C-alpha cells in the first residue's frame, strides 16, 4: 500500500498536457475531465477541487477529478484503490461519484463502509454518442437563449434539476445563487438552447462541457403539459444541429438513466447510439 501511495499525487499546471493526453485516450467518455483541465489548467484556485494522477515510473496511467464530482479518468477497477483514501479525505465536498460502471462499482466497493450512505445509486446509465447530423427535422423554434430569457429559463432549469436529481438546487447554502450563476454562464457561452410559448419554456437543453473532440449535453427537459408531442425529439435534433453544425464539437454525448424508457426512445429516434455504461452514486 505504501508503494501505491508514493505513485499517486496531486496534479498541477505543469501536468496539464499529460493529463489531457490521458483523457484523450477516450475523449468522449472523458469529456468532462478533459474540459475542466483545459478550462482551469489544473490550477486548484479555478478547479474548486483537485485532480490526482497515478504514475508508473514517469508515465501517468490513471487520474481522477475530485471536486463536487468524483470522476475517474482512464481508470481500471485495479486503479481505484490508489484513489480511495484521497476520495475519503474529501468526501464531505463530493456530491456525486460518476463514470464508467465497472470503475464506479469497484471504487464504491472500496469506500462504501467508510462513506456516508448515498442518497441514491444509479447503477446503469447508458452513455450515448452521435457524430452526424440527424435525419429528424430540427424544431425551428429552438434557439440559443439570451440574458433576456433568464427570468423564464431559470425556473425551468430548477424544475428539471429537481425532477432529475430529487432535490432542488435552491437548497444549497447560497439559496440557489450558484445555480442561477451557472445558468447565466451557459447562456453567455452560447450553450443554452430552448423554445418558448406564452407560458414560458417548452423545451430546453444545455451543453455542459465541450472540447475539440466532443460535447456533453445535460438538462434535457420538456414542460410536463407539453409532453407527448414529439418536442423532445425535434428539440434534441436542434441541439445536435447546433453542436455539430456550428462547430462546437464533432460528437454529441450524454448519459441517461436506464429506467427512463421515454428519454431513451427519444435519443434513439434522433440517432444516438450507446457506446458505454455509466454509474452515478449520489449523496
Amino acid at each position: 500500500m505504501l508503494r501505491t501511495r508514493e505513485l499517486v499525487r496531486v496534479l498541477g499546471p505543469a501536468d496539464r498536457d499529460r493529463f489531457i493526453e490521458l483523457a484523450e485516450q477516450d475523449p468522449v467518455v472523458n469529456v468532462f475531465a478533459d474540459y475542466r483541465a483545459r478550462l482551469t489548467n489544473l490550477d486548484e484556485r479555478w478547479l474548486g477541487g483537485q485532480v490526482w494522477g497515478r504514475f508508473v515510473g514517469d508515465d501517468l496511467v490513471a487520474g481522477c477529478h475530485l471536486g463536487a464530482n468524483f470522476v475517474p479518468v482512464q481508470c481500471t477497477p485495479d486503479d481505484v484503490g490508489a484513489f480511495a483514501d484521497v476520495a475519503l479525505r474529501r468526501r464531505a465536498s463530493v456530491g456525486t461519484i460518476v463514470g464508467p460502471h465497472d470503475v464506479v462499482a469497484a471504487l464504491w466497493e472500496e469506500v462504501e463502509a467508510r462513506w456516508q450512505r448515498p442518497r441514491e445509486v444509479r447503477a446503469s446509465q447508458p452513455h450515448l454518442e452521435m457524430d452526424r447530423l440527424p435525419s429528424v427535422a430540427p424544431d425551428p423554434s429552438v434557439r440559443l437563449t439570451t440574458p433576456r430569457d433568464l427570468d423564464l429559463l431559470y425556473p425551468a432549469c430548477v424544475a428539471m434539476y429537481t425532477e432529475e436529481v430529487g432535490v432542488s438546487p435552491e437548497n444549497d447554502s447560497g439559496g440557489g445563487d450558484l445555480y442561477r450563476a451557472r445558468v447565466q454562464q451557459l447562456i453567455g457561452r452560447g450553450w443554452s438552447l430552448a423554445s418558448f410559448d406564452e407560458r414560458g419554456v417548452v423545451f430546453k437543453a444545455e451543453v455542459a462541457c465541450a472540447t475539440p473532440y466532443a460535447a456533453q449535453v445535460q438538462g434535457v427537459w420538456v414542460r410536463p403539459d407539453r409532453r407527448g408531442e414529439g418536442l423532445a425529439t425535434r428539440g434534441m435534433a436542434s441541439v445536435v444541429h447546433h453542436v455539430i453544425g456550428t462547430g462546437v464539437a464533432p460528437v454529441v454525448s450524454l448519459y441517461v438513466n436506464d429506467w427512463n424508457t421515454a428519454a431513451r426512445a427519444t435519443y434513439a429516434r434522433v440517432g444516438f447510439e450507446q457506446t458505454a455504461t455509466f454509474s452515478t452514486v449520489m449523496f
Side-chain angles (χ1 to χ4, degrees):
M1 192 67 177
L2 180 60
R3 181 172 178 273
T4 299
R5 289 198 185 104
E6 289 175 347
L7 296 173
V8 176
R9 66 170 175 83
V10 177
L11 304 182
D15 303 297
R16 173 191 181 274
D17 291 346
R18 281 200 289 182
F19 181 76
I20 289 174
E21 288 177 4
L22 178 72
E24 287 176 351
Q25 292 177 22
D26 196 344
V28 184
V29 164
N30 295 324
V31 61
F32 170 79
D34 189 356
Y35 165 72
R36 293 285 292 159
R38 294 171 190 271
L39 181 69
T40 67
N41 289 322
L42 302 187
D43 187 322
E44 291 185 34
R45 293 172 299 174
W46 308 115
L47 271 168
Q50 296 175 324
V51 170
W52 285 71
R54 178 174 179 262
F55 292 81
V56 174
D58 292 331
D59 295 329
L60 178 62
V61 298
C64 68
H65 176 281
L66 187 52
N69 303 304
F70 181 104
V71 182
V73 178
Q74 291 304 105
C75 288
T76 70
D78 292 336
D79 289 316
V80 297
F83 299 115
D85 289 344
V86 171
L88 285 162
R89 288 200 298 270
R90 297 183 64 93
R91 63 184 179 270
S93 64
V94 174
T96 62
I97 301 171
V98 58
H101 167 76
D102 58 342
V103 177
V104 171
L107 176 67
W108 186 238
E109 183 177 1
E110 181 86 18
V111 302
E112 180 178 9
R114 295 173 286 169
W115 206 298
Q116 69 266 36
R117 181 185 295 274
R119 185 164 51 82
E120 187 176 355
V121 177
R122 298 182 177 180
S124 180
Q125 297 175 301
H127 177 274
L128 311 177
E129 298 180 18
M130 189 166 179
D131 63 0
R132 65 191 186 281
L133 295 178
S135 58
V136 175
D139 184 341
S141 67
V142 173
R143 59 169 174 82
L144 289 176
T145 61
T146 74
R148 293 189 299 275
D149 298 314
L150 181 63
D151 288 344
L152 290 176
L153 185 63
Y154 179 70
C157 292
V158 171
M160 177 285 304
Y161 187 103
T162 305
E163 182 178 341
E164 171 65 20
V165 179
V167 296
S168 171
E170 296 186 321
N171 290 346
D172 66 36
S173 59
D177 289 346
L178 290 176
Y179 189 67
R180 189 178 183 90
R182 172 63 173 163
V183 174
Q184 290 175 303
Q185 182 185 63
L186 292 171
I187 293 172
R189 287 183 175 154
W191 286 2
S192 167
L193 295 99
S195 62
F196 301 83
D197 66 9
E198 66 281 357
R199 293 188 54 192
V201 174
V202 174
F203 165 89
K204 73 160 203 74
E206 296 91 36
V207 175
C209 51
T211 71
Y213 302 98
Q216 187 177 90
V217 172
Q218 68 173 18
V220 180
W221 182 83
V222 175
R223 200 174 67 221
D225 67 297
R226 297 295 304 272
R227 292 174 186 174
E229 300 178 28
L231 294 169
T233 300
R234 299 194 298 275
M236 279 304 300
S238 298
V239 172
V240 174
H241 267 274
H242 173 69
V243 172
I244 295 178
T246 68
V248 174
V251 177
V252 185
S253 71
L254 55 85
Y255 55 98
V256 60
N257 296 312
D258 62 346
W259 43 260
N260 193 341
T261 55
R264 292 179 66 182
T266 291
Y267 300 137
R269 284 192 292 270
V270 176
F272 283 89
E273 297 180 352
Q274 183 172 354
T275 59
T277 301
F278 272 24
S279 292
T280 303
V281 183
M282 306 168 68
F283 303 99

